[in-house]
Amino acid sequence: TVGLVGCGEMGRFTARALLHVLPGIQEIKMYDLYPAMIDRLIEFVGPTHVKFTVCSSAEEAIRDSDIVATSAPLPYKDPIYKAEWVKPGALVLPVHCNGWPLAFLKGASKFVVDDWNQYHNYMFGPTKYYTEDMEAPYAQLGEIINGVKPGRENDEEIIVNSNLGIALQDIA
């Protein structure tokens, strides 16, 4: 089950990408402030075996989801998502970084980013999404892909993977 908050452009492509790499997904629970975005997402994804469930809140979409993707651009810096909404064993993919409390990122079993210098400069630098600093994450994504550090090691780990995107990905 995927819980998707934000069904605009990024949400549509996130849903399509997840369905491509994880064909066993059975349900996508969706929440968006604008119901028309949900309809567009379903149309964009196209015919599929997946059950689409419209939720009345971000909390409803996130609770009991195996994968959580938050792709709602938030114009404010205060967290709106709560750690207690995330079930043990979930993978959290914050497409837009803001919205999650820093304590949730720090408290995740594994916090992973694509490039720590870029992430740190963006989240803790001039934009100051977070006023408190953070130690380096468990891993950069490449370390897991290359087997330098293990990915998921048990069914209870909450893993947060927050990728800002690096130029090499854009070129590829």
Side-chain angles (χ1 to χ4, degrees), residues 115-128 164:
D115 182 275
W116 175 239
N117 286 332
Q118 175 183 261
Y119 187 89
H120 189 267
N121 288 338
Y122 184 74
M123 298 306 289
F124 304 96
T127 59
K128 294 282 188 211
L164 290 178

Side-chain angles (χ1 to χ4, degrees), residues 124-143:
F124 304 96
T127 59
K128 294 282 188 211
Y129 279 107
Y130 296 110
T131 56
E132 181 184 331
D133 206 353
M134 181 177 184
E135 298 287 324
Y138 165 74
Q140 294 184 111
L141 188 56
E143 293 175 300

